[in-house]
Amino acid sequence: MSCLPEDVRALALMLPEAVEGAHQGHPDFRVGGRIFATLWTEEERVVLRLSPEQQAAATEAEPDACEAVPGAWGERGWTSLELFAVDEDFLRSGLLAAWRNTAPPALVARTAALALDP
């Protein structure tokens, strides 16, 4: 089952202290003032701030849906997910990982006990 841009927005904004902003004309989602996801609405994809290890796992699990962003950003873990090729659980897991990678450590620690995982 595929996901829609509206799914990204709804799931991202469910994460603690996440807010919507804009980056280079695209909606983005931030925590602690830092971007953890950028939504490319027209292309129906989302770019997530993953670690290189998380990126490798995602591209191995969903090779038709995930790829590293070209250049240095991708080398640092930024990963593009094609929404039509992922299900909600995969999207939710990716957003949560990106949020945890970006959120201030104290916020991650405070919310570790919350049922955020799918």
Side-chain angles (χ1 to χ4, degrees), residues 50-94:
L50 301 180
S51 69
E53 296 79 18
Q54 291 166 328
Q55 179 187 77
T59 56
E60 183 177 327
E62 295 287 347
D64 294 333
C66 302
E67 67 180 351
V69 170
W73 288 99
E75 291 171 12
R76 289 186 290 222
W78 286 91
T79 306
S80 181
L81 269 66
E82 300 294 338
L83 295 176
F84 65 84
V86 297
D87 63 21
E88 184 179 319
D89 285 345
F90 192 83
L91 175 60
R92 183 186 304 266
S93 294

Side-chain angles (χ1 to χ4, degrees), residues 6-114:
E6 295 80 28
D7 298 325
V8 173
R9 181 173 277 114
L11 292 170
L13 293 175
M14 289 174 64
L15 295 166
E17 298 185 23
V19 296
E20 187 171 342
H23 177 72
Q24 296 183 354
H26 300 282
D28 69 28
F29 303 94
R30 301 168 186 241
V31 61
R34 298 172 62 204
I35 298 171
F36 67 91
T38 301
L39 178 59
W40 294 67
T41 307
E42 294 296 318
E43 294 88 350
E44 294 189 345
R45 67 185 173 99
V46 62
V47 174
L48 301 175
R49 183 181 191 203
L50 301 180
S51 69
E53 296 79 18
Q54 291 166 328
Q55 179 187 77
T59 56
E60 183 177 327
E62 295 287 347
D64 294 333
C66 302
E67 67 180 351
V69 170
W73 288 99
E75 291 171 12
R76 289 186 290 222
W78 286 91
T79 306
S80 181
L81 269 66
E82 300 294 338
L83 295 176
F84 65 84
V86 297
D87 63 21
E88 184 179 319
D89 285 345
F90 192 83
L91 175 60
R92 183 186 304 266
S93 294
L95 285 166
L96 179 58
W99 179 89
R100 285 182 173 148
N101 292 340
T102 309
L107 177 59
V108 174
R110 276 197 322 269
T111 59
L114 296 178

